[in-house]
Every structure is written in C-alpha cells, then in structure tokens.
Amino acid sequence: MGRPARSLLLTVLLGAVLLGSVGVATGLPGRLVAEAWKGRPPAASVSVGPLPGATLPIADWEPTLDQYQRIQRARLLATRRCMARLGIDLPMPPVRPVRHPGATGAVHALGDRDPARFGYRGPEGYQDDVFTAMVRGLTKALVVPEPFIGAFDGSVDTFRGVPVPSGGCEGEVRGLLDTPAGVALRASIRDERVVPWTAFAELEQAATARVESDDRFRRAQADWSRCMRRAGHRYADTTAAEGDGRWATSVSVTDEEPERPVSAQEIATAVADDRCRTEVGLKALAFALLADYQGELIRHDGARLKQVRRLLDLQVASAAAILGEPGAER
C-alpha cells in the first residue's frame, strides 16, 4: 500500500486569531488611544466597525490585499508553467476575489457581519474572506501528489529525464518573484520561508497577545460578560460566544460543504453580543490598545519590517511581469 498524497501549503496557517486587518486606511484617532491608556473605555456612542478613517499601524507597512492576491496568482501561474516543463499537469487552486474586503474589520466588532441577519458567520463567503485577509491573499492549499514532490521541492535532480531547477519549481518561482535583489534581501533578513510577510503576521500575533493580557481589556471583557448575562446569555468572554459549538455547523470551511442556515438562537446571541460590546466600550478599547501595541512593536522592529516591505514590493512588480503586464497592476 503506497503512502498517501501529501499537501504542500503555499501559506502559513496561523495558530491564533488575528485581530487586525489588511489594508484598512491610516491612523487612529488619538483621543481613543488616550482614553484607553487612562484605563477607561471610550464612550459607548463611538462608532467602530471599523472606525471611520481609522487604521491599525501595520496597514501602512504592507501591500494591499489586492496586491497580495496578485502575487499569489503569479506564484501559481509560474508554478504551473514550471511543472508543465517537467511534463506534470498540476491543478492550481483558484484565487478568488474577496467579496467582503472589510471582512476582518475593526477588532472585536461584529458590525460588518450584519449579525441581525447572519449571526456570527456573516454573509455567504465571509469566513473564507476572513481567511484570505488573514493569510495575505493566499489560497488554502496547493496539493502536490506524492510522485511529483521531488520536482516541486527540488529533492531530485531530474524528473523523467528532464533536469529539475535548483530548489525545484518552488525555488524557481521564489527566485522569479524575489528577483536577484530580493534574494539578497532574504539573506539579510534571514527568512527562507516561501512567503515573506510572516514578519507582519508575527507582529500582529504578538500585539494581539498583549491586548488579551492587558488588565483594561480583561475588565472590559468582564463588563461584557455581565451585560450578556443580563440579556440571558452566559459566556466568560467574546471568544466563548463566537466559538459556541452550536454555531459551528453554520460555517463552511471547505468549498464542497455549503454554509447552512443560521439559527434564530445564533442571531439572537450575536445581536446581544454586538450591543454589549458597544455598551461597555469593548470595540473601541480593543482597537485602541491593539493600535498602540502594534506601534510599539513596529518602533522596536522597524528596520527589519522595512526590508520585508521592500521584498514584497519587488514581488508585486515581478508578479505584474509574470502575469503579462510589466509595471501594471492587475
């Protein structure tokens, strides 16, 4: 009996829920940060979802989600071409346009999911868009069947008598996207992973961890829990409410499994949840804290982040050439 096929992922599946978003505008109203640091949440009337004109600092350091997706389309096209030269017809996963570009929204805000209609799930395709934004435009997986892995990763020198590029098709495509200048950049930042944006993802996770351990955030979560209890819902925190197993069947995580109707109970819980987040100021406080912690981490690691951004800019330009429109965005 042969070994089962292996999946090689051209993405990093993040182990924590990221609270930020890719490509939200610029700047956060200073008043919100100031009030957060005074230890009290902003007024409940503050609109968050996301805040008008407000962004997380990391957004200023990254390409747009559309540019990230352009890099992914180029990566898959170049991979398919390389494998075809070796006589391999390797199907590529689709790179779908994001229908809900604000899918990650402001931290701890449910508004863009329209909880009164769609509960925690959001409209059709919303959860897939959350994933796409979280992994910077990448698809979920590129499946390389076992017999072809050597050609893909370069662990063989030839495939069916045809020379395999150094590093396999994966290495060839990385070189095409990076360009020689990018290869040098990779060496300087010591990052040999396929995707160079993991530094941003790691910063997001670190900032998120700081928010979750902040006493002000924990107090706001406790206030939220009391608000929910008054509405007839018992949860320790917002993560427990969103992750309630009763809602799991309404969210599809595969293309083959359709999203099921959202229950009335889920909608009622999500509506109360959203209202309580507003009442206790949790949305604005979480956003303000995350912005501040991200800014602190950026100041500490700005030199490396600039190098990562330069590498990504090179990939954006290379992607345009691979896709057949040198210098043009597509």
Side-chain angles (χ1 to χ4, degrees):
M1 184 174 179
R3 289 182 292 172
R6 288 154 53 190
S7 287
L8 296 181
L9 302 186
L10 289 185
T11 178
V12 177
L13 299 183
L14 305 182
V17 177
L18 304 185
L19 300 181
S21 61
V22 174
V24 203
T26 56
L28 181 71
R31 181 177 62 83
L32 295 182
V33 177
E35 291 190 17
W37 277 109
K38 289 176 185 174
R40 61 175 183 269
S45 61
V46 173
S47 172
V48 182
L51 291 162
T55 64
L56 296 169
I58 199 170
D60 291 332
W61 289 74
E62 296 199 75
T64 66
L65 181 55
D66 181 65
Q67 289 172 323
Y68 273 127
Q69 287 197 291
R70 189 173 302 115
I71 293 171
Q72 172 68 341
R73 287 197 298 272
R75 176 181 288 117
L76 294 177
L77 177 60
T79 300
R80 183 176 178 85
R81 287 171 175 169
C82 177
M83 297 293 275
R85 292 201 315 270
L86 301 173
I88 301 168
D89 183 13
L90 185 64
M92 296 290 126
V95 181
R96 297 187 181 90
V98 171
R99 290 172 290 177
H100 308 286
T104 48
V107 294
H108 284 276
L110 299 176
D112 61 342
R113 302 187 210 180
D114 194 355
R117 295 178 61 196
F118 303 110
Y120 289 108
R121 186 194 72 193
E124 184 179 359
Y126 182 92
Q127 293 297 325
D128 194 54
D129 286 350
V130 168
F131 177 91
T132 301
M134 185 174 70
V135 295
R136 274 71 176 177
L138 298 191
T139 51
K140 291 181 179 177
L142 170 63
V143 179
V144 179
E146 183 76 19
F148 306 147
I149 288 179
F152 179 81
D153 66 11
S155 54
V156 299
D157 295 327
T158 62
F159 183 84
R160 296 175 182 170
V162 180
V164 172
S166 176
C169 285
E170 180 183 33
E172 176 179 289
V173 172
R174 185 188 308 184
L176 285 173
L177 283 169
D178 286 357
T179 74
V183 172
L185 267 175
R186 273 194 191 271
S188 68
I189 62 178
R190 299 179 181 179
D191 189 345
E192 290 303 315
R193 291 169 287 196
V194 172
V195 291
W197 46 255
T198 46
F200 295 122
E202 289 164 358
L203 185 148
E204 282 185 317
Q205 288 178 287
T208 295
R210 293 189 183 189
V211 171
E212 291 175 346
S213 63
D214 190 292
D215 287 341
R216 290 157 295 184
F217 178 76
R218 289 177 174 177
R219 287 196 297 269
Q221 285 277 13
D223 291 342
W224 172 90
S225 182
R226 286 188 286 271
C227 176
M228 287 290 282
R229 192 158 54 248
R230 290 192 295 270
H233 308 282
R234 292 185 175 272
Y235 295 101
D237 52 36
T238 53
T239 299
E242 289 193 55
D244 191 319
R246 292 176 296 172
W247 326 141
T249 57
S250 73
V251 177
S252 171
V253 294
T254 68
D255 293 334
E256 294 76 20
E257 181 184 6
E259 292 179 340
R260 295 174 177 82
V262 177
S263 69
Q265 192 173 28
E266 177 179 346
I267 288 175
T269 305
V271 168
D273 181 352
D274 189 52
R275 177 180 56 78
C276 284
R277 294 185 197 209
T278 299
E279 284 189 9
V280 304
L282 179 63
K283 303 175 187 179
L285 175 65
F287 199 107
L289 289 175
L290 186 58
D292 198 85
Y293 282 128
Q294 280 191 5
E296 181 180 316
L297 290 167
I298 287 169
R299 287 189 294 274
H300 180 265
D301 204 22
R304 179 167 176 259
L305 295 178
K306 286 179 181 177
Q307 291 179 308
V308 174
R309 176 57 194 260
R310 282 200 294 270
L311 179 55
L312 285 165
D313 286 341
L314 287 170
Q315 289 199 347
V316 170
S318 300
I322 291 170
L323 294 169
E325 296 188 3
E329 293 195 347
R330 176 175 164 177

